[in-house]
Amino acid sequence: MYVEDPARTGESRLSDGRLLGWAEWGPPDGVPVLCCPGAATSRRLGFGAGVVEALGVRLVAVDRPGLGVSTPAPGRTFADFAGDIRQLGALRGLGRPAMVGNSQGAPFALACAAAGVISALAVVSGADEVAAPEFASALTADLRGLVQRTARDPEGAEEFFAGFSAEAMWGMVMAGSPECDLAVYQDPDFAGAYRRALADGFAQGAAGYARDTVLAMGRWPFALDEITVPVDIWYGELDTSHSPDNGASLATRMPGAHYRVVPGIGGALLWTHAEPVLKALLARAAADR
């Protein structure tokens, strides 16, 4: 199995009254590892079915504001999200946990690392900083147009992304994935879980996804070279949708980052290689204590 239903779900009330939704897998007294999910997916899409139990991991996935059951926060920033995670850690007794950032969740996870909220980070098939000048010539014409539009008119770009739907996201992922990934995504159990997570992600409308996308597609306001927590960067060799260079330059921007490219897989890496990702993350977090 690639995924399984959460063992526990709930919402935590933050200091400003907003709710932050979460889902957990693994033993309640396990080593806490936060999951920052991909674009438009809710807390309910975890990873590492069976693996988290075997490794003694308490995996906690979080709905970003406006997605799933988390209260919307119009105009929110990366720093705001890091603050939310700091509060969640205190409310749920997580301490300073390790984190996995997948796909569009990666820059939000990096913001948490930059703020010192987490103890170690695994970026898995992470959305790269496509607005960085060095990528300008490497982007497809369509993506370059979206990046330029976001820089020129972020409010207008947010309105544009707010026109997306769960069905549109599913179609976009299916159309842009290699056969090795489709074998995962179209597995009946995974497809059902993924589509439910997308439906949850858009349950309050598309504003949460739109805000995420404008933030991720713009320049990131934190200094990658000042991140001091251990970072692992994982990309599938056949991943053509998350980074123009499969994270190679991203790795060079963080001193001490461990960079891994896995053959034979693309963006589905988190679900096909959950065990090595988690084992490496736990080892990095333990070594830094």
Side-chain angles (χ1 to χ4, degrees):
M1 292 192 300
Y2 298 111
V3 292
E4 58 189 355
D5 291 337
R8 300 167 295 277
T9 60
E11 301 88 40
S12 293
R13 191 170 296 279
L14 305 178
S15 59
D16 62 1
R18 288 182 297 116
L19 294 176
L20 203 65
W22 48 265
E24 294 190 0
W25 296 258
D29 59 350
V31 179
V33 174
L34 285 170
C35 174
C36 203
T41 55
S42 76
R43 58 183 172 160
R44 292 185 174 273
L45 187 64
F47 67 96
V51 174
V52 293
E53 291 82 3
L55 295 179
V57 166
R58 176 188 175 192
L59 182 67
V60 185
V62 182
D63 285 337
R64 290 187 291 278
L67 278 71
V69 297
S70 289
T71 308
R76 61 186 165 87
T77 65
F78 283 118
D80 291 333
F81 180 73
D84 288 351
I85 294 301
R86 189 186 300 276
Q87 287 194 57
L88 183 69
L91 291 168
R92 297 291 300 154
L94 305 176
R96 189 165 163 260
M99 179 177 268
V100 175
N102 177 238
S103 188
Q104 194 175 80
F108 294 91
L110 285 163
C112 291
V117 176
I118 56 177
S119 61
L121 172 62
V123 171
V124 185
S125 307
D128 211 333
E129 190 179 10
V130 290
E134 58 265 30
F135 285 148
S137 62
L139 305 181
T140 64
D142 288 346
L143 180 54
R144 188 182 307 114
L146 287 174
V147 169
Q148 292 171 346
R149 180 177 187 170
T150 300
R152 183 176 63 250
D153 180 17
E155 290 185 3
E158 200 162 333
E159 289 180 9
F160 169 75
F161 292 122
F164 278 62
S165 66
E167 195 61 33
M169 290 296 297
W170 170 263
M172 186 167 64
V173 172
M174 294 306 106
S177 298
E179 287 296 325
C180 56
D181 288 349
L182 292 177
V184 177
Y185 299 151
Q186 294 177 353
D187 171 84
D189 289 335
F190 185 91
Y194 190 18
R195 297 193 75 143
R196 285 192 296 272
L198 285 171
D200 282 350
F202 283 98
Q204 301 184 72
Y209 161 72
R211 185 61 184 165
D212 279 358
T213 304
V214 165
L215 290 172
M217 200 166 281
R219 292 308 308 269
W220 298 347
F222 41 84
L224 292 173
D225 61 355
E226 295 179 6
I227 290 176
T228 58
V229 304
V231 179
D232 288 331
I233 298 177
W234 297 78
Y235 282 87
E237 179 186 27
L238 303 178
D239 186 350
T240 59
S241 59
H242 290 107
S243 169
D245 63 358
N246 260 15
S249 61
L250 182 64
T252 66
R253 296 170 68 187
M254 284 177 278
H258 290 184
Y259 176 56
R260 297 171 171 88
V261 176
V262 179
I265 193 64
L269 175 66
L270 181 63
W271 295 280
T272 61
H273 289 71
E275 184 172 8
V277 166
L278 284 172
K279 281 185 173 179
L281 179 62
L282 294 175
R284 293 274 270 163
D288 198 55
R289 289 195 185 106

